[in-house]
Amino acid sequence: MTKKADKKKKSKKKRKALTEEQKKEQLRKRREAAFRKKIRSTFTNMGFLSIPTANKHFKIGYRVVELDYLFIYKNVFIIGEDTCGKGKDKGHIRKKSEAFREIQGNMADFVIWLQNEFPENKEYIEKYRNRIRLYYIYISQAKIELTDDEKMLYSNLIFWDTETFAYFNRMAQCIYYSARYDLFRFLGLTNDQIGSSGSAGNKTVIKAPIIYPEDITGFRNGVRIVSFMMSAEDLLKTSYVLRKDNWEESIWLYQRLIEKEKIKKIRAFLADKGSAFYNNIIVALPDSVRFEDEAGNFIKADKIGDFQRCSLIIPDEMNTVCVIDGQHRIYAHYEAPGNEKYESI
């Protein structure tokens, strides 16, 4: 036996078998590491910048705090807190709620700390410092058990339990940067609240849509059917699917409808063939759409004649066009990092 083989044999002898408790502890650590990695990838896949704030304690107001995560997209700052304990750890939740109040009450000091601690991101933080919209998302590995009164008491925190977190992680895996519009809707943000001031007020003008007469559609309830063409980019920014307001009751309904592999196959087809689908996507337009004649005069929908030539004006606002059928064909055009296989195409 060589010296090397003898040494290896001795090394194997020294290795002790793990007890059941040690095995459970190793498994727990692996699960927690995977959970934290999933939190980080959820936001970075959406295009957020991840600031490494973990294990950096600093004094703000009357408290010394530490942030597990800080994710930034333009002026949207999201503090993340993970918890792998039981969902009824009210003491932990209370401390985080109090810490966040101190940060909210001392935003100028918070920004200065960020700039000093992370000088590589100083210019980015400075650009939006007067328009920062700060959110604190408490992400639990277990189901969060809070009464209605407790939810009101800690209303400055946004709670993501297992279902909500799984939903956003799934969306970020499927459509990358385009998933942030879903997150913005969840946070209640509008176009004019994101980025620099003066970024709102735009509109998408679609020339010469086809407006079908009632005797062709069969509708007698004032609903009009319009055919028009719209870029995938505009539709990705302005559309939403199914749920509009109530996330808790319908989030899993949509979760079952989106298929990652289906989106990938459509995306590959679009890129490889250099073509597009010419079948219809069905959407419901918001009440805020307008029709104008060639002179720019407003026309009421019920006054539009058969196949009348006009322009359809759709507000360039997130989450206003409801997709009824065709979400996979839309999402196949998602915005992804530049190194994604088909992004440049």
Side-chain angles (χ1 to χ4, degrees), residues 38 41 45 168-176 179 260 334:
K38 186 182 288 188
S41 67
N45 282 348
F168 283 109
N169 177 256
R170 175 73 172 175
M171 291 298 291
Q173 285 182 338
C174 289
I175 59 174
Y176 292 90
K260 183 177 181 179
Y334 62 76

Side-chain angles (χ1 to χ4, degrees), residues 198-238:
S199 59
N202 296 323
K203 60 185 179 181
T204 299
V205 180
I206 297 169
K207 297 289 185 181
I210 298 173
I211 303 167
Y212 293 91
E214 292 180 344
D215 58 348
I216 289 181
T217 65
F219 286 113
R220 298 290 184 271
N221 56 0
V223 174
R224 303 302 298 266
I225 293 182
V226 183
S227 288
F228 59 94
M229 295 188 72
M230 188 175 187
S231 73
E233 182 182 14
D234 286 338
L235 192 51
L236 278 168
K237 291 178 180 177
T238 57

Side-chain angles (χ1 to χ4, degrees), residues 220-276:
R220 298 290 184 271
N221 56 0
V223 174
R224 303 302 298 266
I225 293 182
V226 183
S227 288
F228 59 94
M229 295 188 72
M230 188 175 187
S231 73
E233 182 182 14
D234 286 338
L235 192 51
L236 278 168
K237 291 178 180 177
T238 57
S239 66
Y240 68 94
V241 182
L242 289 182
R243 79 214 157 265
K244 175 64 175 173
D245 300 310
N246 194 334
W247 288 80
E248 291 182 0
E249 293 182 5
S250 59
I251 198 166
W252 278 106
L253 173 63
Y254 180 59
Q255 174 74 23
R256 288 192 293 270
L257 291 181
I258 190 166
E259 299 176 26
K260 183 177 181 179
E261 289 305 313
K262 187 174 181 179
I263 290 175
K264 287 172 66 177
K265 287 178 181 178
I266 294 173
R267 187 172 177 86
F269 173 85
L270 294 171
D272 294 339
K273 299 295 183 181
S275 184

Side-chain angles (χ1 to χ4, degrees), residues 10-25:
K10 288 180 180 179
S11 177
K12 285 184 178 180
K13 286 181 179 179
K14 289 179 182 178
R15 196 175 297 164
K16 294 181 180 179
L18 297 176
T19 65
E20 285 303 313
E21 285 300 315
Q22 288 173 324
K23 289 179 181 178
K24 287 180 181 179
E25 180 64 13

Side-chain angles (χ1 to χ4, degrees), residues 17 65 84 97 107 117 123 127 129 134 140 142 156 171 178-179 192 198 247 282-283 305 309 316 326-327 335 343:
V65 304
C84 300
S97 176
M107 278 298 294
E117 192 68 32
E123 289 184 12
K127 183 176 180 180
R129 66 176 299 159
L134 187 64
S140 176
N156 62 332
M171 291 298 291
S178 297
D192 62 314
W247 288 80
I282 303 173
V283 303
R309 184 174 179 82
D316 187 13
Q327 65 263 33
E335 182 188 357
E343 181 62 19

